[in-house]
């Protein structure tokens, strides 16, 4: 067999290099007990026929992802500023300093190498720091592009492209987050001065959590309640709801806060150490008429007349874009978590097979235990499911935006409903997957070399940001109930494809003598079972709300189930359609492996929600009883191919930053190297005796004074 490193891609040639100046000692000559990690992973890869390159192109073909990743990675790996070997030991203020330095460097590298926006985004992805510029790129620019009128875009875009204007998105407040209509910050029109007056009337009106705002941004998109006088002469004001305004918040030369604005960083958080999430309050701060973004809503400065958008939901266009992007991002997060778990699960060995009488038999890889497989392999399948729906959501968003630009808002309701429900489900799945994988890795999963700590801490924000995961399911359920109500009424043509699906269900299945679907023999029946269950739960919610007139609050738990059922149906449908699309052009071998993953994802999801499928008459009791056996067999089928399946996501070691998940399998060498040679705590000799105030040997009480000064 060739050496295990002979075929290691350049992007995955991790090193276990010594720290500069590290002294050589006897540990340098020690090797792990066999079989070695490289040999184990080489054997795993050799036993599988998964076509890695074909699958990688299939997964990551959008926007030339793979070539772009290789090109940008070569640049970052040679930049000392992006070295991750000791960054976990930095304090939170130092992480912000480092994050800002890296953000600036990425922008300079973009200028130096002629990177486009996609290249720059790739740099941020590989850097794996939550950049202080993140909200500037993700929401500030998008909001101006989508909600600014032509004159505003012409004014602001050159300043943004030049790097002079750095912005944030200030919507969430100390007292209100998901309930955007309840925000308290006001923008009151002064017809005499021809200005808006931004004001925070209460402490809870403080903008809060807004990324990039704390120390970085000099401008902000401020979402405030629009108040207009009834006429130019009237002193009586009328609320017109939240609207976006572009506001300069810091001096362009000194970067000091402008008078009338209190803005700063909110302090340490669970994760996001490099991000300056901020607070901001206004004290009757005046801004010009041109500050109100006016692509959809306008205020006549002379008559105070308000022109509202044709569809009010366009005000939240930036949020919908971010939710669609979050779904696409969730697949990569889950792929990272599972890549680490699968590779380490193969290398790590614990206990002999209890049914093997050979006392010298090798220990089993932990991934050979079904109790580990059931935690890891369904997540591997789920990563693929998220991929296909992420692709579908990106296409839906781009198509909807193109229609909106032409004045057609017909797809906006579908986009908003699906993006809300899928954001909730997909981020829940991805966040839970990191912790599930970490726990499955045993003690080493808790260590700094696992690759899970920053990944987990940073991603845990996603179930909350851009709409709390429990709250936003109401938006999806509300839309579904409305479409079911329209289908029951049956008037005119269907409003959209969901209305049409509800009408079809009512006509062909509701209260009909239908048989359960044969899910164990026909994959299309699996799709139909998920759709039947979703329609059934939607109808139940419709009856409770519209017929029985139950209060909305009393239905919230049921509505969450309705939203998740629809989102799970979308995941299963998109997965199936991708495998049977005439445009896919995948080899029979690849289609076979993906079909196995499809079945595992669908059956594992179905087994967890078995009662709903039974009540909907979608699946028989006997078939539901068979699911655990089928799931275990599917995991056994996937197990020999698990390493090559995760390899197909082409996640470089530079991004993983994981001793456990290294491509080459040198797990134990890297763990020891990080502890023995790279840990700065081991570079200091301490005084442990309690009778002395000395902390560091030879420094007296100076170290204690330094620590006290920071408290």
């Amino acid at each position: 067999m060739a050496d295990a490193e002979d075929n290691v891609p350049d992007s995955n040639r991790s090193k276990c290099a010594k720290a500069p100046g590290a002294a050589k000692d006897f540990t340098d000559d020690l090797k792990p007990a066999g079989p070695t990690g490289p040999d184990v992973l080489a054997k795993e890869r050799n036993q599988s026929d998964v076509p890695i390159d074909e699958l990688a192109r299939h997964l990551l073909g959008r926007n030339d992802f793979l070539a772009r990743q290789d090109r940008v990675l070569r640049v970052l790996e040679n930049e000392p500023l992006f070295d991750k070997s000791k960054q976990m030991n930095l304090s939170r203020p130092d992480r912000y300093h480092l994050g800002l330095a890296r953000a600036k460097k990425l922008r300079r590298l973009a200028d130096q190498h002629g990177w486009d926006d996609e290249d720059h985004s790739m740099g941020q992805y590989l850097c794996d720091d939550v950049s202080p510029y993140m909200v500037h790129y993700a929401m500030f620019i998008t909001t101006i592009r989508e909600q600014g009128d032509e004159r505003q875009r012409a004014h602001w875009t050159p300043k943004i492209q030049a790097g002079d204007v750095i912005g944030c998105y200030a919507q969430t407040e100390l007292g209100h987050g998901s309930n955007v209509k309840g925000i308290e910050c006001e923008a009151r029109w002064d017809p005499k001065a021809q200005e808006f007056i931004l004001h925070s009337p209460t402490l809870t009106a403080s903008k809060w959590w807004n990324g990039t705002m704390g120390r970085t941004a000099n401008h902000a998109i401020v979402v405030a309640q629009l108040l207009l006088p009834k006429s130019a002469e009237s002193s009586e004001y009328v609320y017109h709801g939240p609207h976006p305004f572009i506001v300069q918040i810091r001096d362009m030369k000194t970067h000091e806060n402008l008078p009338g604005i209190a803005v700063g960083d909110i302090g340490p958080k669970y994760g996001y150490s490099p991000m300056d999430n901020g607070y901001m309050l206004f004290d009757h701060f005046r801004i010009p008429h041109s500050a109100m973004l006016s692509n959809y809503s306008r205020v006549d400065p002379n008559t105070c007349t308000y022109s509202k958008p044709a569809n009010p939901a366009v005000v939240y266009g930036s949020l919908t874009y971010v939710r669609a992007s979050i779904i696409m991002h969730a697949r990569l997060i889950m792929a990272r978590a599972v890549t680490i778990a699968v590779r380490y699960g193969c290398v790590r060995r614990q206990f002999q097979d209890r049914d093997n009488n050979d006392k010298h038999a090798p220990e089993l890889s932990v991934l050979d235990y079904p109790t580990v497989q059931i935690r890891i392999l369904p997540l591997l399948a789920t990563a693929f499911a998220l991929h296909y729906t992420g692709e579908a959501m990106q296409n839906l968003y781009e198509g909807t935006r193109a229609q909106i630009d032409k004045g057609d808002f017909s797809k906006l309701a579908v986009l908003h409903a699906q993006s809300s429900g899928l954001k909730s489900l997909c981020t829940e799945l991805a966040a839970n997957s990191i912790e599930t994988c970490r726990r499955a890795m045993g003690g080493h999963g808790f260590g700094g070399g696992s690759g899970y700590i920053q990944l987990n801490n940073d991603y845990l924000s996603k179930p909350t940001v851009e709409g709390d995961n429990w709250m936003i399911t109401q938006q999806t359920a509300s839309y579904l109930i409305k479409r079911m109500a329209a289908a029951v009424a049956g008037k005119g043509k269907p409003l959209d494809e969901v209305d049409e699906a509800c009408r079809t269900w009512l006509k062909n299945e509701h209260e009909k003598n239908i048989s359960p679907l044969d899910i164990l023999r026909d994959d299309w029946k699996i799709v139909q079972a998920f759709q039947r269950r979703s329609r059934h739960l939607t109808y139940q919610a419709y009856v409770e709300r519209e017929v029985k007139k139950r209060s909305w609050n009393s239905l919230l738990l049921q509505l969450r189930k309705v939203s998740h059922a629809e989102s799970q149906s979308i995941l299963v449908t998109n997965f199936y359609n991708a495998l049977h699309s005439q445009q896919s052009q995948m080899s029979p071998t690849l289609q076979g492996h993906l079909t196995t993953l499809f079945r595992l994802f669908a059956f594992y999801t179905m087994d967890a929600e078995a009662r709903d499928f039974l009540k909907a008459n979608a699946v028989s009791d006997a078939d539901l009883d068979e699911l655990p056996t089928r799931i275990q067999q599917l995991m056994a089928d996937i197990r020999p191919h698990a390493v090559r399946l995760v390899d197909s996501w082409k996640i470089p070691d530079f991004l993983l930053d994981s001793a456990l998940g290294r491509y080459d399998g040198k797990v134990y060498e890297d763990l020891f190297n990080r502890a023995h040679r790279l840990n700065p705590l081991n570079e200091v000799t301490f005084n442990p005796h309690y009778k002395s105030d000395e902390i560091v040997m030879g420094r007296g009480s100076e170290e204690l004074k330094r620590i006290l000064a920071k408290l």
Side-chain angles (χ1 to χ4, degrees):
M1 181 184 294
D3 184 83
E5 286 200 60
D6 285 352
N7 296 314
V8 176
D10 289 340
S11 62
N12 281 311
R13 289 191 179 275
S14 295
K15 301 177 179 64
C16 293
K18 289 185 179 181
K24 181 178 175 63
D25 60 31
F26 72 93
T27 65
D28 291 357
D29 299 320
L30 294 176
K31 305 294 182 185
T36 67
D39 286 344
V40 169
L41 292 189
K43 181 180 178 181
E44 292 282 342
R45 291 175 176 123
N46 289 338
Q47 73 185 7
S48 170
D49 63 350
V50 170
I52 292 177
D53 290 337
E54 181 190 355
L55 181 50
R57 290 190 299 271
H58 175 73
L59 292 170
L60 304 167
R62 177 186 284 262
N63 296 332
D64 201 25
F65 184 96
L66 291 171
R68 193 185 308 277
Q69 177 173 269
D70 289 343
R71 185 173 66 253
V72 174
L73 182 61
R74 285 195 296 269
V75 174
L76 298 188
E77 285 181 319
N78 291 315
E79 292 289 342
L81 190 58
F82 297 99
D83 180 14
K84 304 176 184 181
S85 59
K86 294 186 179 182
Q87 73 178 25
M88 285 187 63
N89 294 284
L90 297 179
S91 67
R92 196 263 158 162
D94 284 342
R95 286 302 307 276
Y96 173 73
H97 293 169
L98 176 62
L100 184 59
R102 284 175 169 172
K104 291 182 175 185
K105 183 66 174 179
L106 275 176
R107 178 59 196 269
R108 292 197 296 270
L109 288 171
D111 292 342
Q112 177 183 341
H113 295 280
W115 289 351
D116 60 18
D117 289 344
E118 293 286 346
D119 293 329
H120 187 264
S121 295
M122 178 62 72
Q124 292 178 302
Y125 164 69
L126 293 171
C127 177
D128 196 33
D129 251 351
V130 182
S131 165
Y133 290 167
M134 183 184 74
V135 178
H136 170 76
Y137 292 120
M139 293 197 71
F140 180 76
I141 295 175
T142 302
T143 303
I144 291 174
R145 182 178 65 243
E146 294 189 356
Q147 300 198 40
D149 61 25
E150 186 175 348
R151 184 174 57 180
Q152 289 168 326
R153 291 193 296 269
H155 175 79
W156 291 107
T157 301
K159 298 177 184 293
I160 293 169
Q161 291 175 339
D164 298 330
V165 168
I166 302 166
C168 60
Y169 188 87
Q171 177 171 291
T172 298
E173 295 181 353
L174 186 59
H176 287 88
S178 299
N179 181 17
V180 179
K181 292 181 179 179
I183 64 174
E184 300 174 66
C185 182
E186 299 176 349
R188 188 181 297 264
W189 177 245
D190 179 352
K192 293 182 179 178
Q194 298 276 285
E195 293 173 331
F196 291 102
I197 303 172
L198 278 180
H199 185 60
S200 307
T202 65
L203 186 65
T204 47
S206 172
K207 295 301 178 182
W208 197 268
W209 276 119
N210 317 126
T212 307
M213 190 169 76
R215 307 305 296 159
T216 309
N218 51 36
H219 284 72
I221 300 295
V222 178
V223 179
Q225 296 284 359
L226 175 64
L227 282 83
L228 299 176
K230 286 190 171 181
S231 67
E233 296 77 25
S234 175
S235 60
E236 185 177 352
Y237 279 76
V238 178
Y239 279 86
H240 290 275
H243 286 71
F245 300 81
I246 184 165
V247 182
Q248 182 181 336
I249 62 174
R250 289 186 170 97
D251 186 275
M252 296 299 288
K253 292 183 179 179
T254 67
H255 203 63
E256 296 292 338
N257 300 350
L258 293 180
I261 299 178
V263 57
D265 180 87
I266 64 172
K269 308 169 292 291
Y270 205 99
Y272 275 32
S273 293
M275 172 59 80
D276 55 326
N277 296 88
Y279 63 85
M280 184 162 60
L281 289 148
F282 298 96
D283 183 16
H284 298 93
F285 186 78
R286 291 181 173 269
I287 56 177
H289 176 265
S290 60
M292 179 177 166
L293 296 182
S294 302
N295 196 31
Y296 301 110
S297 304
R298 297 175 181 81
V299 172
D300 187 299
N302 298 314
T303 65
C304 304
T305 303
Y306 172 67
S307 302
K308 63 181 181 180
N311 189 317
V314 298
V315 175
Y316 308 114
S318 301
L319 202 58
T320 303
Y321 166 78
V322 172
R323 285 178 182 171
S325 300
I326 283 175
I327 297 164
M328 198 67 158
H329 183 234
R331 64 178 183 144
L332 297 175
I333 292 296
M334 187 172 282
R336 283 175 62 181
V338 174
T339 294
I340 295 169
V342 165
R343 288 176 181 166
Y344 178 64
C346 293
V347 173
R348 182 69 168 182
R349 292 175 176 265
Q350 293 287 290
F351 305 108
Q352 296 171 326
D353 186 340
R354 293 184 65 172
D355 294 324
N356 191 329
N357 295 322
D358 182 359
K359 294 182 179 180
H360 302 289
E363 293 180 291
L364 293 175
S365 293
V366 297
L367 194 59
D368 288 332
Y369 292 103
T371 49
V372 175
Q373 291 177 5
I374 195 64
R375 288 180 278 173
I376 304 304
L377 297 185
L379 297 181
L380 172 60
T382 303
F384 286 86
L386 264 59
H387 164 74
Y388 294 114
T389 287
E391 287 279 349
M393 285 305 300
Q394 287 291 114
N395 293 335
L396 176 60
Y397 174 80
E398 291 166 5
T400 303
R401 285 305 319 172
Q403 287 183 314
I404 289 173
D405 291 341
K406 298 176 182 177
D408 179 0
F409 299 93
S410 60
K411 290 282 188 180
L412 189 57
V414 175
L415 174 64
H416 181 66
Q418 289 193 3
S419 66
S420 297
L422 286 166
K423 184 270 176 185
S424 173
L425 178 62
C426 294
T427 56
E428 202 78 21
L429 289 169
N432 291 345
S433 76
I434 302 170
E435 179 62 9
T436 299
C437 288
R438 185 198 67 76
R439 292 187 182 190
M441 298 300 94
H444 288 316
F446 191 70
S450 68
Y452 287 126
I453 294 177
Q454 181 170 316
L455 179 66
N456 193 29
N457 290 352
D458 286 350
Y459 195 77
L460 280 180
S461 70
K462 291 298 185 288
T464 303
V465 299
E466 319 307 344
D468 173 78
N469 275 6
W470 283 75
M471 184 283 301
I472 60 175
T473 54
Q474 296 178 63
Q475 299 170 12
T476 306
S478 175
Y479 164 81
L480 291 170
I481 290 172
K482 290 177 182 177
R483 290 300 182 263
M484 182 60 76
V488 170
K491 296 178 181 179
K493 294 182 178 180
L495 297 171
D496 53 31
E497 59 266 33
V498 176
D499 184 353
E500 185 174 5
C502 290
R503 295 188 189 206
T504 301
W505 178 82
L506 288 168
K507 178 182 178 181
N508 298 332
E509 298 186 20
H510 177 54
E511 296 183 347
K512 302 292 192 300
N513 187 23
I514 56 173
S515 300
L517 296 154
D518 189 5
I519 60 164
L520 301 180
R521 295 169 184 80
D522 186 343
D523 288 347
W524 174 242
K525 300 298 183 184
I526 297 174
V527 177
Q528 290 180 307
F530 273 86
Q531 294 173 347
R532 181 180 292 182
R533 169 209 178 209
S534 179
R535 298 288 85 80
H536 171 75
L537 290 175
T538 298
Y539 184 79
Q540 284 187 319
Y542 156 77
V543 170
E544 294 297 318
R545 178 62 176 172
E546 300 297 327
V547 179
K548 297 182 179 180
K549 304 298 182 182
R550 280 184 58 186
S551 71
W552 187 259
N553 200 48
S554 70
L555 291 171
L556 289 182
L557 297 181
Q558 184 176 347
L559 297 179
R560 175 176 167 81
K561 181 178 285 190
V562 169
S563 174
H564 275 14
E566 178 70 7
S567 297
Q568 288 167 344
S569 177
I570 292 170
L571 287 170
V572 169
T573 301
N574 286 331
F575 203 156
Y576 178 89
N577 289 341
L579 297 183
H580 296 86
S581 168
Q582 294 181 348
Q583 286 76 39
S584 64
Q585 297 180 339
M586 66 181 72
S587 66
T589 299
L590 177 55
Q591 186 169 35
H593 287 297
L594 291 176
T595 298
T596 305
L597 290 166
F598 164 78
R599 291 170 182 161
L600 178 58
F601 170 72
F603 288 163
Y604 182 81
T605 304
M606 187 180 289
D607 188 46
E609 311 283 356
R611 187 174 185 276
D612 289 344
F613 285 91
L614 185 64
K615 294 285 288 184
N617 203 21
V619 183
S620 70
D621 205 9
D623 283 355
L624 289 172
D625 286 343
E626 177 68 16
L627 284 182
T629 302
R630 289 295 180 101
I631 289 169
Q632 190 158 350
Q633 182 56 56
L634 288 166
M635 292 193 302
D637 293 341
I638 291 168
R639 167 62 187 92
H641 308 287
V643 170
R644 288 179 73 91
L645 285 169
V646 298
D647 286 352
S648 300
W649 287 95
K650 297 287 184 178
I651 301 171
D653 282 346
F654 180 84
L655 174 59
L656 279 182
D657 190 26
S658 169
L660 306 188
R662 293 171 61 102
Y663 182 90
D664 62 10
K666 291 185 177 181
V667 172
Y668 300 115
E669 298 94 323
D670 196 354
L671 283 173
F672 188 80
N673 183 63
R674 289 171 185 245
H676 186 52
R677 302 185 183 95
L678 298 180
N679 184 353
L681 203 62
N682 291 330
E683 299 170 7
V684 179
T685 302
F686 293 93
N687 183 344
H689 302 292
Y690 81 91
K691 293 182 179 180
S692 171
D693 279 345
E694 185 178 63
I695 305 300
V696 176
M697 282 290 190
R699 295 186 187 177
S701 61
E702 289 303 312
E703 189 68 14
L704 179 59
K705 292 177 181 177
R706 188 183 69 82
I707 294 171
L708 283 170
K710 290 187 174 184
L711 296 180

